[in-house]
C-alpha cells in the first residue's frame, strides 16, 4: 500500500470539505502516523475543530499544519475561498518527533527532545512560524544549527484574520512548531526564486539601519537608478511591487539570495530604504519580479529535486509565497499545474506563506518543494 495519501477540497462547510478529503485519502496504511493539514484563513475559527475531526476520523494523533491565505494540492490552488489540503504519511515511528512550540529560545526543545535528536545522524524539520513573533527568524537559524546536519523547510502562517493557529499535535500559536524527521525518513528539497537580478552585486559602503546611503562608494539612489533603468527611474510608482532588493547568500553563487521589499526613497538625500536591517560590507543586488523567469526556474527546480530523489517521489509538500500563485503565474492554478507537470500526480499538500523557510533561512517570493522519496 502507498505510504502517502493526499486530499484537498473547498466548499461552504468545513465538514463537507474534510469528508471529501477523507474520501480521497481512501484506506490508510495501517501504520499511518503523521498528517499535514493546511487550511485557508476563512476557516480560522474552525481550525481546532477541523484538526480534531481529522484525528477522530483517521485515528492519527500527530497532525501538523497552519493557516494560509491560500492552500494547494496536486495541480490545484485555492485562493480567497474556504478550503483545506491534507497529506497523510506512514513513517518509521522512531524517525518522527513533533516539534513543540519554541517562542523565545530552544530550552524546551533540548529538555524534551535532546536525547532523541542527538542520536540521529541527520534531522530534517517541516516547520511553521508565527510572523507576529520577532524571534522566529532567529529561532529558525538556531534550530537548524542545533540539529545534527539540520535542515528546515516550511513557511510562516499567512492570514487576514486575527488568529494565527498552528497544529503540532495540539493547536498552538505564537512561535515555531512542526515535526522533526530523522534519517530513516529522508526528505529532498529545493528552492525556486520569484525574482531575477537586474544589476551587478554592489557593496553597501554606508548605511543606517535599513537605509542604504552609499553603494560602491556612490550615493545609493544613483546606483539604484542605474540598475533599474531610465524608464522606471523616471516613475518610481511603476517600480513598486516590481523591483526588490536581493541579498546574496553563501559564496559566489547569485542563485541563492534573500529578497526584501523596497520601502521608499529619499531623493534629496539620495537614500534607498529596504525591508531589512543592513550593515556595511554587505552585498546587495536589485531584482525584478518576472513571471517568465519564475516559471523557468520553477521547472528547473522541480526537475532537479526529482532527479535527486531518484526520479520519483511518494509524497510532497509545497510552500509558496502569497506574492506568487495567481499574481505571478496567472489564474487557473498555473503554479501548481507546473509542479504536477514536472513531478507527476504525487500526493501533495501545502500552503501560500507569509515567508518561506529553506535551509534554515527565511525567504520571500520563493517556492519551496520537499519530496519524500
Amino acid at each position: 500500500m502507498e505510504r502517502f495519501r493526499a486530499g484537498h477540497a473547498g466548499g461552504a462547510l468545513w465538514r463537507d470539505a474534510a469528508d471529501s478529503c477523507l474520501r480521497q485519502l481512501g484506506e490508510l496504511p495501517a501504520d499511518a502516523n503523521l498528517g499535514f493539514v493546511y487550511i485557508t484563513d476563512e476557516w480560522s475559527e474552525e481550525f481546532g475543530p477541523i484538526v480534531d475531526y481529522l484525528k477522530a476520523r483517521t485515528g492519527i494523533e500527530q497532525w501538523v499544519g497552519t493557516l494560509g491565505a491560500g492552500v494547494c494540492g496536486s495541480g490545484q490552488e485555492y485562493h480567497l475561498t474556504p478550503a483545506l489540503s491534507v497529506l497523510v504519511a506512514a513513517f518509521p515511528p522512531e524517525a518522527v518527533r513533533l516539534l513543540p512550540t519554541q517562542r523565545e529560545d530552544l530550552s524546551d526543545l533540548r529538555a524534551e527532545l535532546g536525547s532523541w535528536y542527538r542520536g540521529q545522524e541527520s534531522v530534517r524539520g517541516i516547520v511553521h512560524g508565527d510572523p507576529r513573533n520577532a524571534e522566529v527568524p532567529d529561532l529558525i537559524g538556531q534550530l537548524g544549527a542545533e540539529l545534527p546536519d539540520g535542515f528546515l523547510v516550511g513557511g510562516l502562517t499567512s492570514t487576514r484574520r486575527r488568529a494565527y493557529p498552528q497544529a503540532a499535535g495540539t493547536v498552538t500559536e505564537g512561535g515555531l512548531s512542526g515535526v522533526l524527521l530523522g534519517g530513516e525518513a529522508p526528505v529532498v528539497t529545493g528552492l525556486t526564486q520569484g525574482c531575477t537580478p537586474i544589476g551587478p552585486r554592489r557593496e553597501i559602503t554606508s548605511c543606517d539601519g535599513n537605509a542604504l546611503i552609499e553603494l560602491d562608494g556612490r550615493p545609493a539612489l544613483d546606483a539604484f537608478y542605474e540598475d533599474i533603468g531610465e524608464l522606471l527611474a523616471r516613475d518610481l510608482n511603476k517600480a513598486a511591487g516590481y523591483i526588490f532588493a536581493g541579498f546574496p547568500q553563501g559564496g559566489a553563487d547569485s542563485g541563492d539570495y534573500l529578497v526584501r521589499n523596497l520601502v521608499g526613497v529619499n531623493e534629496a538625500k539620495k537614500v534607498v530604504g529596504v525591508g531589512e536591517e543592513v550593515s556595511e560590507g554587505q552585498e546587495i543586488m536589485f531584482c525584478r519580479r518576472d513571471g517568465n523567469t519564475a516559471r523557468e526556474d520553477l521547472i528547473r527546480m522541480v526537475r532537479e529535486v526529482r532527479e535527486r530523489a531518484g526520479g520519483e517521489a511518494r509524497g510532497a509538500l509545497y510552500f509558496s509565497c502569497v506574492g506568487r500563485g495567481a499574481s505571478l503565474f496567472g489564474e487557473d492554478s498555473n503554479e501548481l499545474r507546473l509542479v504536477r507537470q514536472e513531478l507527476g500526480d504525487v500526493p501533495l499538500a501545502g500552503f501560500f506563506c507569509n515567508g518561506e523557510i529553506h535551509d534554515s533561512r527565511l525567504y520571500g517570493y520563493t517556492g519551496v518543494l520537499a519530496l519524500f522519496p
Side-chain angles (χ1 to χ4, degrees):
M1 179 177 287
E2 293 294 331
R3 313 300 288 172
F4 293 83
R5 296 295 186 88
H8 53 84
L13 301 175
W14 70 259
R15 193 179 295 267
D16 290 344
D19 286 340
S20 176
C21 288
L22 291 166
R23 287 193 294 272
Q24 293 170 58
L25 295 178
E27 182 183 356
L28 298 179
D31 53 351
N33 58 356
L34 180 64
F36 296 91
V37 56
Y38 300 103
I39 303 169
T40 57
D41 60 359
E42 282 84 358
W43 283 333
S44 60
E45 295 183 1
E46 290 79 18
F47 186 90
I50 292 173
V51 173
D52 289 342
Y53 188 71
L54 293 172
K55 286 183 180 181
R57 290 291 305 275
T58 62
I60 298 171
E61 286 296 317
Q62 299 184 115
W63 285 85
V64 297
T66 192
L67 282 184
V71 300
C72 53
S74 178
Q76 182 66 50
E77 303 169 19
Y78 298 87
H79 299 282
L80 304 176
T81 187
L84 71 154
S85 179
V86 300
L87 177 73
V88 167
F91 288 117
E94 279 303 308
V96 179
R97 290 294 184 274
L98 294 183
L99 172 67
T101 305
Q102 310 298 301
R103 294 184 173 87
E104 297 180 356
D105 56 39
L106 302 181
S107 56
D108 290 343
L109 173 76
R110 296 185 181 105
E112 295 184 34
L113 296 179
S115 60
W116 174 80
Y117 64 73
R118 292 187 187 106
Q120 302 287 326
E121 292 186 3
S122 65
V123 177
R124 302 295 181 251
I126 312 296
V127 297
H128 311 109
D130 190 323
R132 300 171 299 176
N133 185 339
E135 302 299 324
V136 161
D138 286 340
L139 286 171
I140 292 168
Q142 292 171 27
L143 180 58
E146 174 76 13
L147 300 172
D149 190 28
F151 197 106
L152 307 181
V153 296
L156 302 189
T157 301
S158 61
T159 177
R160 299 156 297 165
R161 317 291 173 170
R162 293 183 179 180
Y164 287 72
Q166 301 167 16
T170 60
V171 175
T172 181
E173 65 174 25
L176 187 70
S177 69
V179 63
L180 304 179
L181 301 174
E184 292 183 78
V187 185
V188 182
T189 72
L191 172 79
T192 178
Q193 300 279 5
C195 297
T196 305
I198 57 174
R201 290 189 180 201
R202 297 187 180 276
E203 181 183 352
I204 300 173
T205 48
S206 179
C207 60
D208 182 11
N210 70 331
L212 305 173
I213 299 173
E214 289 187 356
L215 299 177
D216 296 337
R218 301 170 52 201
L221 190 60
D222 290 349
F224 174 66
Y225 282 159
E226 180 179 299
D227 290 349
I228 68 174
E230 182 180 356
L231 181 62
L232 288 176
R234 288 202 305 262
D235 184 1
L236 290 181
N237 289 327
K238 293 182 179 178
Y242 179 67
I243 302 297
F244 299 85
F247 296 92
Q249 303 292 306
D253 181 8
S254 65
D256 187 8
Y257 50 94
L258 303 178
V259 176
R260 297 294 184 258
N261 291 321
L262 299 178
V263 298
V265 301
N266 185 320
E267 293 188 322
K269 296 183 178 181
K270 295 193 173 183
V271 169
V272 179
V274 297
E276 177 90 349
E277 293 285 319
V278 295
S279 58
E280 292 184 8
Q282 189 175 1
E283 287 188 315
I284 189 173
M285 55 189 180
F286 296 107
C287 312
R288 70 169 181 268
R289 289 184 65 191
D290 187 315
N292 289 330
T293 54
R295 182 181 184 278
E296 293 170 2
D297 196 59
L298 175 60
I299 292 172
R300 173 205 60 78
M301 182 272 287
V302 177
R303 289 177 178 175
E304 178 185 288
V305 174
R306 182 179 180 182
E307 181 177 349
R308 287 193 283 116
E312 59 181 271
R314 297 181 297 167
L317 294 168
Y318 188 65
F319 308 102
S320 187
C321 179
V322 293
R324 291 167 59 92
S327 63
L328 185 58
F329 292 88
E331 303 292 338
D332 201 26
S333 301
N334 284 340
E335 182 174 5
L336 268 297
R337 286 176 182 267
L338 282 172
V339 174
R340 185 174 64 183
Q341 168 189 301
E342 300 302 325
L343 192 61
D345 195 14
V346 172
L348 178 149
F351 77 113
F352 289 87
C353 319
N354 195 21
E356 305 77 60
I357 300 165
H358 184 262
D359 194 11
S360 309
R361 295 191 185 111
L362 184 61
Y363 288 80
Y365 304 101
T366 60
V368 175
L369 179 65
L371 292 188
F372 302 104

